[in-house]
């Protein structure tokens, strides 16, 4: 008989276990799935191109964010991390996939960019070595691959490592365009995430209600010849943490 639930972390791990192993995209156990995803560099995945998100470029161009320390969550092949480094940020970039990190390091070497890449679980790494504080956390496609209960972990991560007055730059699936629109409870009955969760502006504002909204809009469509990445099936959001308050 097991009676081993004592902490919030115990509950979160229990809920993780309700999902089928092949559904895992957020723990270290999901690394092999992402390795397979990144293995074929010629695969026509839109964000394999070495272009930064158009919203991130826009934030910098308009002075909404300024250089400091940055953490790139789910960095993939490093396209946004490299852009932040070129803009003067000191960048730590995290991904579960060793294959993605190897590709990102190759790109950084070719560009002569100084980015510190870390392979592993962002929740674990930010509780140990990547303790911040960071002036910017950029997340392009990590948040929408989390099961509902791991939003608790995500907000705790922001509480731990995002500096007072710092910014969260978020890109995620937009309801009505991409991602699953099932209610949260349904994912626990079906033990899968259906490729990722879609969000509405109202749901994002509720989840990040401890932050000040700077901008929330659809990502702009960018033509193939653009130096920026843009796809209109995504929301982009910039939230600012208060000078002293917790994010919750």
């Amino acid at each position: 008989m097991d009676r081993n639930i004592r902490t919030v972390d115990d509950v979160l791990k229990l809920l993780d276990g309700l999902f089928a192993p092949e559904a895992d995209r957020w723990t270290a156990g999901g690394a092999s799935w992402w390795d397979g995803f990144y293995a074929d560099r010629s695969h026509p995945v839109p964000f394999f191109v070495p272009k930064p998100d158009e919203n991130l470029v826009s934030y910098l161009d308009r002075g909404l964010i300024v250089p400091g320390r940055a953490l790139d969550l789910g960095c993939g092949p490093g396209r946004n991390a490299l852009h932040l480094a070129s803009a003067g940020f000191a960048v730590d970039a995290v991904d579960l996939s060793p294959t993605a990190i190897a590709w990102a390091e190759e790109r950084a070497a070719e560009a002569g960019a100084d980015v510190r890449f870390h392979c592993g679980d962002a929740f674990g790494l930010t509780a140990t070595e990547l303790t911040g504080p960071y002036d910017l956390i950029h997340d392009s496609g990590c948040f929408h691959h989390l099961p509902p209960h791991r939003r608790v972990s995500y907000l705790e991560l922001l509480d731990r490592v995002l500096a007072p007055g710092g910014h969260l730059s978020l890109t995620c699936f937009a309801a009505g365009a991409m991602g699953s629109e099932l209610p949260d409870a349904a994912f626990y009955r079906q033990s899968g995430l259906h490729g990722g969760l879609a969000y509405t502006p109202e749901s994002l504002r509720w989840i990040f209600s401890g932050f000040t909204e700077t901008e929330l809009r659809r990502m702009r469509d960018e033509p193939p010849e653009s130096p920026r990445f843009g796809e209109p099936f995504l929301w982009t959001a910039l939230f600012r943490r208060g000078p002293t308050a917790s994010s919750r």
Side-chain angles (χ1 to χ4, degrees), residues 21-84:
E22 61 270 18
D24 184 1
R25 304 286 187 275
W26 67 94
T27 75
S32 60
W33 189 93
W34 289 111
D35 275 345
F37 180 78
Y38 286 110
D40 182 3
R41 299 183 183 184
S42 65
H43 196 65
V45 177
F47 55 85
F48 276 14
V49 295
K51 300 177 181 181
D53 289 340
E54 64 83 9
N55 57 301
L56 181 63
V57 175
S58 175
Y59 300 152
L60 287 162
D61 288 348
R62 289 182 287 157
L64 298 179
I65 57 175
V66 296
R69 294 189 68 194
L71 176 64
D72 186 3
L73 297 177
C75 66
R79 58 192 181 85
N80 289 305
L82 267 62
H83 186 73
L84 288 168

Short mmCIF file of all heavy atoms in Angstrom, two decimals, residues 21-84:
data_model
loop_
_atom_site.label_atom_id
_atom_site.label_comp_id
_atom_site.label_asym_id
_atom_site.label_seq_id
_atom_site.Cartn_x
_atom_site.Cartn_y
_atom_site.Cartn_z
N PRO A 21 3.05 7.20 -21.26
CA PRO A 21 4.46 7.58 -21.48
C PRO A 21 4.69 8.32 -22.79
O PRO A 21 5.48 9.27 -22.84
CB PRO A 21 5.19 6.24 -21.44
CG PRO A 21 4.34 5.37 -20.59
CD PRO A 21 2.92 5.79 -20.88
N GLU A 22 4.00 7.91 -23.86
CA GLU A 22 4.22 8.55 -25.15
C GLU A 22 3.62 9.95 -25.23
O GLU A 22 3.88 10.69 -26.19
CB GLU A 22 3.64 7.68 -26.28
CG GLU A 22 2.15 7.43 -26.20
CD GLU A 22 1.80 6.18 -25.41
OE1 GLU A 22 2.66 5.70 -24.63
OE2 GLU A 22 0.67 5.69 -25.55
N ALA A 23 2.83 10.34 -24.22
CA ALA A 23 2.27 11.70 -24.19
C ALA A 23 3.22 12.70 -23.57
O ALA A 23 2.99 13.91 -23.67
CB ALA A 23 0.95 11.69 -23.42
N ASP A 24 4.27 12.22 -22.92
CA ASP A 24 5.17 13.09 -22.17
C ASP A 24 5.97 14.00 -23.11
O ASP A 24 6.71 13.53 -23.98
CB ASP A 24 6.13 12.22 -21.34
CG ASP A 24 7.04 13.04 -20.44
OD1 ASP A 24 6.93 14.29 -20.44
OD2 ASP A 24 7.86 12.44 -19.75
N ARG A 25 5.80 15.30 -22.91
CA ARG A 25 6.60 16.29 -23.65
C ARG A 25 7.26 17.29 -22.71
O ARG A 25 7.83 18.26 -23.17
CB ARG A 25 5.71 17.08 -24.62
CG ARG A 25 4.93 16.26 -25.63
CD ARG A 25 5.81 15.71 -26.74
NE ARG A 25 4.99 15.08 -27.77
CZ ARG A 25 4.56 13.81 -27.71
NH1 ARG A 25 4.88 13.05 -26.68
NH2 ARG A 25 3.82 13.31 -28.68
N TRP A 26 7.15 17.06 -21.39
CA TRP A 26 7.57 18.10 -20.45
C TRP A 26 8.56 17.62 -19.40
O TRP A 26 9.19 18.44 -18.73
CB TRP A 26 6.35 18.72 -19.76
CG TRP A 26 5.61 17.78 -18.85
CD1 TRP A 26 5.78 17.65 -17.50
CD2 TRP A 26 4.60 16.83 -19.22
NE1 TRP A 26 4.95 16.67 -17.00
CE2 TRP A 26 4.20 16.16 -18.04
CE3 TRP A 26 4.00 16.48 -20.42
CZ2 TRP A 26 3.24 15.15 -18.04
CZ3 TRP A 26 3.03 15.49 -20.41
CH2 TRP A 26 2.66 14.85 -19.25
N THR A 27 8.74 16.32 -19.20
CA THR A 27 9.74 15.85 -18.24
C THR A 27 10.96 15.33 -19.00
O THR A 27 10.95 15.21 -20.22
CB THR A 27 9.18 14.71 -17.36
OG1 THR A 27 9.13 13.50 -18.13
CG2 THR A 27 7.79 15.04 -16.84
N ALA A 28 12.00 14.99 -18.25
CA ALA A 28 13.20 14.43 -18.89
C ALA A 28 12.88 13.18 -19.70
O ALA A 28 13.56 12.87 -20.68
CB ALA A 28 14.26 14.13 -17.82
N GLY A 29 11.82 12.47 -19.32
CA GLY A 29 11.41 11.29 -20.06
C GLY A 29 10.91 11.59 -21.46
O GLY A 29 10.84 10.69 -22.31
N GLY A 30 10.56 12.84 -21.72
CA GLY A 30 10.09 13.24 -23.05
C GLY A 30 11.20 13.62 -24.00
O GLY A 30 10.94 13.94 -25.17
N ALA A 31 12.45 13.57 -23.53
CA ALA A 31 13.57 14.00 -24.37
C ALA A 31 13.68 13.19 -25.66
O ALA A 31 14.00 13.73 -26.73
CB ALA A 31 14.87 13.94 -23.58
N SER A 32 13.43 11.89 -25.57
CA SER A 32 13.60 11.05 -26.76
C SER A 32 12.59 11.43 -27.84
O SER A 32 12.90 11.35 -29.04
CB SER A 32 13.46 9.57 -26.38
OG SER A 32 12.19 9.30 -25.83
N TRP A 33 11.37 11.82 -27.44
CA TRP A 33 10.39 12.24 -28.44
C TRP A 33 10.89 13.48 -29.17
O TRP A 33 10.84 13.57 -30.40
CB TRP A 33 9.04 12.51 -27.79
CG TRP A 33 7.96 12.75 -28.81
CD1 TRP A 33 7.11 11.81 -29.33
CD2 TRP A 33 7.62 13.99 -29.46
NE1 TRP A 33 6.27 12.40 -30.26
CE2 TRP A 33 6.56 13.72 -30.37
CE3 TRP A 33 8.12 15.29 -29.37
CZ2 TRP A 33 5.99 14.72 -31.16
CZ3 TRP A 33 7.55 16.28 -30.17
CH2 TRP A 33 6.50 16.00 -31.05
N TRP A 34 11.39 14.45 -28.41
CA TRP A 34 11.90 15.67 -29.03
C TRP A 34 13.16 15.40 -29.86
O TRP A 34 13.36 16.04 -30.90
CB TRP A 34 12.18 16.73 -27.96
CG TRP A 34 10.93 17.30 -27.36
CD1 TRP A 34 10.44 17.12 -26.09
CD2 TRP A 34 9.97 18.13 -28.03
NE1 TRP A 34 9.27 17.78 -25.92
CE2 TRP A 34 8.95 18.42 -27.09
CE3 TRP A 34 9.88 18.67 -29.31
CZ2 TRP A 34 7.86 19.22 -27.40
CZ3 TRP A 34 8.79 19.47 -29.63
CH2 TRP A 34 7.80 19.73 -28.68
N ASP A 35 13.98 14.46 -29.42
CA ASP A 35 15.14 14.08 -30.24
C ASP A 35 14.69 13.61 -31.62
O ASP A 35 15.28 13.99 -32.65
CB ASP A 35 15.94 12.97 -29.56
CG ASP A 35 16.94 13.48 -28.55
OD1 ASP A 35 17.24 14.70 -28.57
OD2 ASP A 35 17.43 12.68 -27.74
N GLY A 36 13.65 12.78 -31.66
CA GLY A 36 13.13 12.32 -32.94
C GLY A 36 12.57 13.47 -33.76
O GLY A 36 12.72 13.50 -34.99
N PHE A 37 11.97 14.43 -33.09
CA PHE A 37 11.39 15.59 -33.77
C PHE A 37 12.47 16.43 -34.45
O PHE A 37 12.29 16.90 -35.57
CB PHE A 37 10.61 16.43 -32.75
CG PHE A 37 9.95 17.66 -33.31
CD1 PHE A 37 8.76 17.56 -34.01
CD2 PHE A 37 10.50 18.91 -33.13
CE1 PHE A 37 8.13 18.69 -34.52
CE2 PHE A 37 9.89 20.04 -33.63
CZ PHE A 37 8.69 19.94 -34.33
N TYR A 38 13.59 16.61 -33.77
CA TYR A 38 14.66 17.47 -34.28
C TYR A 38 15.69 16.71 -35.13
O TYR A 38 16.60 17.34 -35.68
CB TYR A 38 15.38 18.16 -33.12
CG TYR A 38 14.59 19.27 -32.49
CD1 TYR A 38 14.06 19.14 -31.21
CD2 TYR A 38 14.36 20.46 -33.17
CE1 TYR A 38 13.31 20.16 -30.63
CE2 TYR A 38 13.62 21.49 -32.60
CZ TYR A 38 13.10 21.33 -31.33
OH TYR A 38 12.37 22.35 -30.75
N ALA A 39 15.55 15.40 -35.24
CA ALA A 39 16.59 14.61 -35.92
C ALA A 39 16.75 14.96 -37.40
O ALA A 39 17.86 15.00 -37.92
CB ALA A 39 16.30 13.12 -35.76
N ASP A 40 15.64 15.22 -38.10
CA ASP A 40 15.69 15.52 -39.52
C ASP A 40 15.64 17.04 -39.70
O ASP A 40 14.57 17.65 -39.72
CB ASP A 40 14.52 14.86 -40.25
CG ASP A 40 14.55 15.10 -41.76
OD1 ASP A 40 15.50 15.74 -42.25
OD2 ASP A 40 13.61 14.64 -42.44
N ARG A 41 16.79 17.65 -39.88
CA ARG A 41 16.86 19.10 -39.98
C ARG A 41 16.24 19.63 -41.28
O ARG A 41 15.92 20.83 -41.37
CB ARG A 41 18.31 19.57 -39.87
CG ARG A 41 18.96 19.20 -38.56
CD ARG A 41 20.37 19.75 -38.48
NE ARG A 41 21.05 19.35 -37.26
CZ ARG A 41 22.26 19.77 -36.90
NH1 ARG A 41 22.93 20.59 -37.70
NH2 ARG A 41 22.81 19.35 -35.77
N SER A 42 16.09 18.78 -42.26
CA SER A 42 15.51 19.21 -43.54
C SER A 42 13.99 19.13 -43.54
O SER A 42 13.35 19.56 -44.51
CB SER A 42 16.05 18.34 -44.68
OG SER A 42 15.62 16.98 -44.54
N HIS A 43 13.41 18.60 -42.46
CA HIS A 43 11.96 18.48 -42.40
C HIS A 43 11.34 19.88 -42.45
O HIS A 43 11.83 20.80 -41.80
CB HIS A 43 11.55 17.78 -41.10
CG HIS A 43 10.15 17.27 -41.10
ND1 HIS A 43 9.71 16.28 -41.95
CD2 HIS A 43 9.06 17.64 -40.37
CE1 HIS A 43 8.43 16.04 -41.73
NE2 HIS A 43 8.02 16.84 -40.78
N PRO A 44 10.27 20.07 -43.22
CA PRO A 44 9.71 21.42 -43.39
C PRO A 44 8.90 21.91 -42.19
O PRO A 44 7.70 22.18 -42.27
CB PRO A 44 8.83 21.27 -44.64
CG PRO A 44 8.39 19.84 -44.62
CD PRO A 44 9.58 19.08 -44.08
N VAL A 45 9.56 22.01 -41.06
CA VAL A 45 8.94 22.56 -39.86
C VAL A 45 9.19 24.08 -39.88
O VAL A 45 10.34 24.51 -39.99
CB VAL A 45 9.55 21.94 -38.59
CG1 VAL A 45 8.95 22.57 -37.34
CG2 VAL A 45 9.32 20.43 -38.59
N PRO A 46 8.15 24.91 -39.79
CA PRO A 46 8.34 26.35 -39.97
C PRO A 46 9.41 26.96 -39.07
O PRO A 46 10.20 27.80 -39.51
CB PRO A 46 6.95 26.94 -39.67
CG PRO A 46 6.00 25.84 -39.97
CD PRO A 46 6.72 24.57 -39.61
N PHE A 47 9.44 26.54 -37.80
CA PHE A 47 10.39 27.18 -36.89
C PHE A 47 11.76 26.52 -36.86
O PHE A 47 12.58 26.83 -36.00
CB PHE A 47 9.80 27.29 -35.47
CG PHE A 47 9.33 26.00 -34.89
CD1 PHE A 47 10.21 25.16 -34.25
CD2 PHE A 47 7.99 25.64 -34.96
CE1 PHE A 47 9.78 23.96 -33.69
CE2 PHE A 47 7.54 24.45 -34.40
CZ PHE A 47 8.45 23.62 -33.77
N PHE A 48 12.04 25.63 -37.80
CA PHE A 48 13.42 25.14 -37.94
C PHE A 48 14.30 26.20 -38.60
O PHE A 48 15.52 26.13 -38.51
CB PHE A 48 13.45 23.86 -38.78
CG PHE A 48 13.17 22.60 -37.99
CD1 PHE A 48 12.64 22.64 -36.71
CD2 PHE A 48 13.45 21.36 -38.53
CE1 PHE A 48 12.39 21.49 -35.98
CE2 PHE A 48 13.20 20.18 -37.82
CZ PHE A 48 12.67 20.25 -36.55
N VAL A 49 13.69 27.16 -39.27
CA VAL A 49 14.47 28.20 -39.94
C VAL A 49 15.17 29.06 -38.88
O VAL A 49 14.63 29.29 -37.80
CB VAL A 49 13.58 29.08 -40.83
CG1 VAL A 49 13.00 28.27 -41.98
CG2 VAL A 49 12.46 29.73 -40.03
N PRO A 50 16.38 29.52 -39.15
CA PRO A 50 17.13 30.29 -38.16
C PRO A 50 16.69 31.75 -38.09
O PRO A 50 17.46 32.68 -38.34
CB PRO A 50 18.57 30.16 -38.64
CG PRO A 50 18.45 30.03 -40.12
CD PRO A 50 17.18 29.25 -40.36
N LYS A 51 15.43 31.96 -37.74
CA LYS A 51 14.87 33.30 -37.67
C LYS A 51 14.24 33.52 -36.30
O LYS A 51 13.55 32.63 -35.79
CB LYS A 51 13.79 33.50 -38.73
CG LYS A 51 14.25 33.31 -40.16
CD LYS A 51 13.05 33.46 -41.11
CE LYS A 51 13.44 33.25 -42.56
NZ LYS A 51 12.27 33.43 -43.46
N PRO A 52 14.42 34.67 -35.69
CA PRO A 52 13.78 34.94 -34.39
C PRO A 52 12.30 35.24 -34.56
O PRO A 52 11.84 35.66 -35.63
CB PRO A 52 14.54 36.17 -33.88
CG PRO A 52 14.94 36.89 -35.14
CD PRO A 52 15.25 35.80 -36.14
N ASP A 53 11.54 35.04 -33.50
CA ASP A 53 10.12 35.39 -33.49
C ASP A 53 9.93 36.87 -33.79
O ASP A 53 10.63 37.72 -33.22
CB ASP A 53 9.50 35.07 -32.14
CG ASP A 53 9.37 33.58 -31.88
OD1 ASP A 53 9.40 32.80 -32.84
OD2 ASP A 53 9.25 33.20 -30.69
N GLU A 54 8.94 37.18 -34.63
CA GLU A 54 8.73 38.58 -35.00
C GLU A 54 8.34 39.42 -33.79
O GLU A 54 8.70 40.60 -33.71
CB GLU A 54 7.69 38.69 -36.12
CG GLU A 54 6.28 38.23 -35.80
CD GLU A 54 5.42 39.26 -35.08
OE1 GLU A 54 5.84 40.43 -34.96
OE2 GLU A 54 4.33 38.88 -34.61
N ASN A 55 7.60 38.84 -32.85
CA ASN A 55 7.20 39.61 -31.67
C ASN A 55 8.41 39.95 -30.79
O ASN A 55 8.51 41.06 -30.25
CB ASN A 55 6.15 38.85 -30.86
CG ASN A 55 6.60 37.49 -30.42
OD1 ASN A 55 6.93 36.64 -31.25
ND2 ASN A 55 6.63 37.23 -29.11
N LEU A 56 9.36 39.03 -30.68
CA LEU A 56 10.56 39.30 -29.89
C LEU A 56 11.36 40.43 -30.52
O LEU A 56 11.83 41.35 -29.82
CB LEU A 56 11.41 38.03 -29.79
CG LEU A 56 12.69 38.13 -28.98
CD1 LEU A 56 12.39 38.46 -27.52
CD2 LEU A 56 13.49 36.83 -29.07
N VAL A 57 11.51 40.39 -31.84
CA VAL A 57 12.20 41.47 -32.55
C VAL A 57 11.49 42.80 -32.31
O VAL A 57 12.11 43.83 -32.05
CB VAL A 57 12.29 41.16 -34.06
CG1 VAL A 57 12.91 42.34 -34.81
CG2 VAL A 57 13.09 39.89 -34.30
N SER A 58 10.15 42.75 -32.38
CA SER A 58 9.35 43.96 -32.19
C SER A 58 9.51 44.54 -30.79
O SER A 58 9.62 45.76 -30.61
CB SER A 58 7.88 43.65 -32.46
OG SER A 58 7.06 44.77 -32.19
N TYR A 59 9.52 43.67 -29.76
CA TYR A 59 9.70 44.17 -28.39
C TYR A 59 11.02 44.93 -28.25
O TYR A 59 11.09 45.98 -27.61
CB TYR A 59 9.69 43.01 -27.40
CG TYR A 59 8.45 42.16 -27.37
CD1 TYR A 59 8.52 40.82 -26.99
CD2 TYR A 59 7.19 42.67 -27.72
CE1 TYR A 59 7.39 40.01 -26.96
CE2 TYR A 59 6.06 41.86 -27.70
CZ TYR A 59 6.17 40.54 -27.32
OH TYR A 59 5.06 39.73 -27.30
N LEU A 60 12.06 44.39 -28.85
CA LEU A 60 13.37 45.03 -28.79
C LEU A 60 13.37 46.33 -29.58
O LEU A 60 13.88 47.36 -29.10
CB LEU A 60 14.44 44.08 -29.31
CG LEU A 60 14.80 42.91 -28.39
CD1 LEU A 60 15.51 41.81 -29.16
CD2 LEU A 60 15.67 43.41 -27.24
N ASP A 61 12.82 46.30 -30.78
CA ASP A 61 12.82 47.49 -31.63
C ASP A 61 12.06 48.64 -30.99
O ASP A 61 12.42 49.81 -31.16
CB ASP A 61 12.20 47.17 -32.99
CG ASP A 61 13.09 46.30 -33.87
OD1 ASP A 61 14.28 46.14 -33.52
OD2 ASP A 61 12.60 45.81 -34.91
N ARG A 62 10.99 48.32 -30.25
CA ARG A 62 10.17 49.37 -29.62
C ARG A 62 10.63 49.73 -28.22
O ARG A 62 10.02 50.58 -27.56
CB ARG A 62 8.71 48.91 -29.58
CG ARG A 62 8.03 48.90 -30.93
CD ARG A 62 6.58 48.48 -30.82
NE ARG A 62 6.43 47.05 -30.55
CZ ARG A 62 5.35 46.50 -29.99
NH1 ARG A 62 4.35 47.27 -29.58
NH2 ARG A 62 5.29 45.20 -29.81
N GLY A 63 11.69 49.07 -27.74
CA GLY A 63 12.20 49.38 -26.41
C GLY A 63 11.33 48.85 -25.28
O GLY A 63 11.47 49.30 -24.13
N LEU A 64 10.46 47.88 -25.57
CA LEU A 64 9.63 47.31 -24.51
C LEU A 64 10.45 46.41 -23.59
O LEU A 64 10.09 46.21 -22.43
CB LEU A 64 8.48 46.51 -25.11
CG LEU A 64 7.48 47.30 -25.95
CD1 LEU A 64 6.40 46.39 -26.52
CD2 LEU A 64 6.85 48.42 -25.13
N ILE A 65 11.51 45.83 -24.12
CA ILE A 65 12.48 45.10 -23.31
C ILE A 65 13.86 45.63 -23.67
O ILE A 65 14.10 46.10 -24.79
CB ILE A 65 12.41 43.58 -23.54
CG1 ILE A 65 12.62 43.22 -25.02
CG2 ILE A 65 11.10 43.01 -23.05
CD1 ILE A 65 12.69 41.72 -25.30
N VAL A 66 14.75 45.59 -22.71
CA VAL A 66 16.13 46.08 -22.92
C VAL A 66 17.10 44.99 -22.47
O VAL A 66 16.75 44.12 -21.66
CB VAL A 66 16.39 47.38 -22.13
CG1 VAL A 66 15.50 48.50 -22.65
CG2 VAL A 66 16.16 47.17 -20.64
N PRO A 67 18.32 45.00 -23.00
CA PRO A 67 19.27 43.93 -22.68
C PRO A 67 19.51 43.77 -21.19
O PRO A 67 19.53 44.73 -20.42
CB PRO A 67 20.54 44.37 -23.42
CG PRO A 67 20.03 45.16 -24.57
CD PRO A 67 18.84 45.91 -24.04
N GLY A 68 19.68 42.52 -20.80
CA GLY A 68 19.94 42.12 -19.42
C GLY A 68 20.23 40.64 -19.43
O GLY A 68 20.82 40.12 -20.37
N ARG A 69 19.78 39.93 -18.41
CA ARG A 69 19.91 38.47 -18.37
C ARG A 69 18.64 37.85 -18.91
O ARG A 69 17.53 38.26 -18.54
CB ARG A 69 20.16 37.98 -16.94
CG ARG A 69 21.48 38.40 -16.34
CD ARG A 69 21.72 37.68 -15.03
NE ARG A 69 21.93 36.24 -15.23
CZ ARG A 69 21.90 35.33 -14.25
NH1 ARG A 69 21.64 35.71 -13.00
NH2 ARG A 69 22.11 34.05 -14.52
N ALA A 70 18.78 36.86 -19.79
CA ALA A 70 17.61 36.22 -20.41
C ALA A 70 17.68 34.72 -20.27
O ALA A 70 18.77 34.12 -20.31
CB ALA A 70 17.52 36.61 -21.88
N LEU A 71 16.51 34.11 -20.13
CA LEU A 71 16.37 32.66 -20.11
C LEU A 71 15.41 32.28 -21.22
O LEU A 71 14.27 32.77 -21.27
CB LEU A 71 15.81 32.20 -18.76
CG LEU A 71 15.50 30.71 -18.61
CD1 LEU A 71 16.78 29.88 -18.72
CD2 LEU A 71 14.81 30.44 -17.27
N ASP A 72 15.85 31.41 -22.13
CA ASP A 72 15.03 30.93 -23.24
C ASP A 72 14.57 29.52 -22.90
O ASP A 72 15.38 28.59 -22.84
CB ASP A 72 15.87 30.95 -24.53
CG ASP A 72 15.06 30.60 -25.77
OD1 ASP A 72 13.84 30.39 -25.66
OD2 ASP A 72 15.66 30.53 -26.86
N LEU A 73 13.26 29.36 -22.68
CA LEU A 73 12.69 28.07 -22.31
C LEU A 73 12.28 27.30 -23.56
O LEU A 73 11.58 27.84 -24.42
CB LEU A 73 11.45 28.27 -21.43
CG LEU A 73 11.65 28.95 -20.08
CD1 LEU A 73 10.30 29.12 -19.38
CD2 LEU A 73 12.59 28.14 -19.21
N GLY A 74 12.69 26.03 -23.66
CA GLY A 74 12.38 25.24 -24.84
C GLY A 74 13.02 25.85 -26.07
O GLY A 74 12.35 26.10 -27.07
N CYS A 75 14.32 26.06 -26.01
CA CYS A 75 15.02 26.87 -27.02
C CYS A 75 15.14 26.20 -28.37
O CYS A 75 15.41 26.86 -29.38
CB CYS A 75 16.41 27.25 -26.52
SG CYS A 75 17.55 25.84 -26.31
N GLY A 76 14.95 24.86 -28.45
CA GLY A 76 15.10 24.19 -29.73
C GLY A 76 16.48 24.44 -30.33
O GLY A 76 17.49 24.43 -29.61
N PRO A 77 16.55 24.71 -31.64
CA PRO A 77 17.86 24.95 -32.28
C PRO A 77 18.45 26.32 -32.01
O PRO A 77 19.42 26.71 -32.65
CB PRO A 77 17.55 24.77 -33.77
CG PRO A 77 16.27 24.04 -33.84
CD PRO A 77 15.50 24.49 -32.63
N GLY A 78 17.85 27.09 -31.10
CA GLY A 78 18.50 28.30 -30.60
C GLY A 78 18.24 29.59 -31.35
O GLY A 78 18.91 30.59 -31.10
N ARG A 79 17.24 29.62 -32.21
CA ARG A 79 17.06 30.80 -33.05
C ARG A 79 16.77 32.07 -32.23
O ARG A 79 17.34 33.14 -32.53
CB ARG A 79 15.95 30.56 -34.07
CG ARG A 79 14.61 30.22 -33.49
CD ARG A 79 13.60 29.70 -34.52
NE ARG A 79 12.33 29.40 -33.88
CZ ARG A 79 11.39 30.32 -33.65
NH1 ARG A 79 11.58 31.56 -34.04
NH2 ARG A 79 10.28 29.99 -33.04
N ASN A 80 15.95 31.99 -31.19
CA ASN A 80 15.67 33.17 -30.37
C ASN A 80 16.80 33.49 -29.41
O ASN A 80 17.11 34.65 -29.15
CB ASN A 80 14.36 32.98 -29.61
CG ASN A 80 13.15 33.03 -30.53
OD1 ASN A 80 12.96 34.00 -31.26
ND2 ASN A 80 12.33 32.00 -30.50
N ALA A 81 17.45 32.46 -28.89
CA ALA A 81 18.59 32.67 -28.00
C ALA A 81 19.70 33.43 -28.71
O ALA A 81 20.32 34.34 -28.14
CB ALA A 81 19.10 31.33 -27.48
N LEU A 82 19.97 33.06 -29.96
CA LEU A 82 21.02 33.74 -30.71
C LEU A 82 20.65 35.19 -30.97
O LEU A 82 21.52 36.08 -30.92
CB LEU A 82 21.29 33.01 -32.03
CG LEU A 82 22.41 31.97 -32.00
CD1 LEU A 82 22.09 30.82 -31.04
CD2 LEU A 82 22.67 31.42 -33.39
N HIS A 83 19.38 35.45 -31.25
CA HIS A 83 18.97 36.84 -31.49
C HIS A 83 19.12 37.67 -30.21
O HIS A 83 19.59 38.81 -30.27
CB HIS A 83 17.53 36.89 -31.98
CG HIS A 83 17.10 38.27 -32.38
ND1 HIS A 83 17.53 38.90 -33.52
CD2 HIS A 83 16.29 39.17 -31.75
CE1 HIS A 83 17.01 40.10 -33.60
NE2 HIS A 83 16.26 40.29 -32.53
N LEU A 84 18.74 37.10 -29.08
CA LEU A 84 18.89 37.83 -27.82
C LEU A 84 20.36 38.13 -27.53
O LEU A 84 20.71 39.22 -27.09
CB LEU A 84 18.26 37.02 -26.69
CG LEU A 84 16.73 36.97 -26.68
CD1 LEU A 84 16.24 35.91 -25.69
CD2 LEU A 84 16.14 38.33 -26.35
#
